[in-house]
Amino acid sequence: MTPDQIVALFTRPDGSFLCARWGRPVAPVVFGLADDSLDIFRSAIRAVFADAGHPLVETDPEMGANLILFFVADWAELTGVPDLDRLTGVDDLPARLAQQGADQYRIFRFDPDGSIRACLCFTRITGTLAQVHPAALAESLAVRATLTFAQEATPSPELARLIRAAYTPVLPAAATDNSHALRLAARMDSAGTAP
């Protein structure tokens, strides 16, 4: 993966660059899935963060859960989530997502040092996503929650090396200068391959 490809992954539509990783242990919770699918998603989250070398915990001392995944068949189901506007900081999110025809939506919150404090993932499991195998969808969502990817990030051994490189302790938890991509690329070779 070249530095330019890494820059593209973290460059947002407004042209700004942000590559941030989690600074605190991740406490995941999943809503809207049957028990059999729930186990698949929990396993995928554990595996992806273990590969990144980042800890999972049962609860975050401040927020309880800080990686929150919502699954719905229709965006209107989100209207039943208490305090959704306050939780997301977005007014009338269900209507906006329905209007856009979106299948997924992700929001990050950050700690003062710029590291990820929380991630909220919303997924409509109808349409194109209804055809995706649950294990593949679980891995994809877990991977996209590890870093502030601004572009589509498809799980692969190369992407796993990038994630491990980003979680190298000597690198900053967050970077807004795209020269950070050079440091990530340099560390990818030493990040190893996925087990």
Side-chain angles (χ1 to χ4, degrees):
M1 190 176 291
T2 67
D4 285 347
Q5 289 172 318
I6 296 172
V7 168
L9 282 173
F10 298 103
T11 300
R12 296 179 288 189
D14 65 2
S16 64
F17 177 91
L18 176 64
C19 177
R21 65 178 185 243
W22 287 83
R24 58 177 66 203
V26 175
V29 66
V30 182
F31 296 103
L33 291 179
D35 287 346
D36 54 345
S37 296
L38 192 58
D39 289 340
I40 292 171
F41 278 79
R42 285 175 175 159
S43 295
I45 292 168
R46 278 195 302 270
V48 167
F49 279 96
D51 189 58
H54 193 74
L56 292 185
V57 292
E58 289 297 319
T59 57
D60 178 88
E62 293 178 37
M63 294 175 287
N66 55 24
L67 172 56
I68 308 173
L69 289 81
F70 294 91
F71 293 88
V72 297
D74 186 275
W75 290 125
E77 293 176 31
L78 289 176
T79 58
V81 177
D83 298 321
L84 182 66
D85 290 356
R86 187 171 61 82
L87 182 67
T88 62
V90 180
D91 293 332
D92 205 10
L93 180 62
R96 292 186 185 203
L97 294 176
Q99 185 177 25
Q100 294 167 10
D103 288 325
Q104 299 179 52
Y105 185 68
R106 189 175 70 247
I107 299 171
F108 287 104
R109 296 281 182 263
F110 301 95
D111 275 322
D113 67 353
S115 63
I116 298 170
R117 169 189 178 88
C119 177
L120 291 80
C121 300
F122 301 89
T123 304
R124 183 170 63 97
I125 46 176
T126 52
T128 56
L129 291 183
Q131 311 304 318
V132 178
H133 190 282
L137 179 59
E139 182 185 19
S140 178
L141 292 176
V143 162
R144 291 177 196 164
T146 58
L147 298 170
T148 51
F149 292 110
Q151 306 296 328
E152 187 74 16
T154 303
S156 67
E158 191 172 37
L159 193 69
R161 288 196 297 275
L162 172 62
I163 293 168
R164 284 194 293 275
Y167 276 83
T168 303
V170 297
L171 291 183
T176 55
D177 189 312
N178 64 17
S179 64
H180 187 65
L182 295 170
R183 300 176 73 184
L184 291 173
R187 290 194 171 270
M188 280 183 69
D189 288 338
S190 61
T193 56

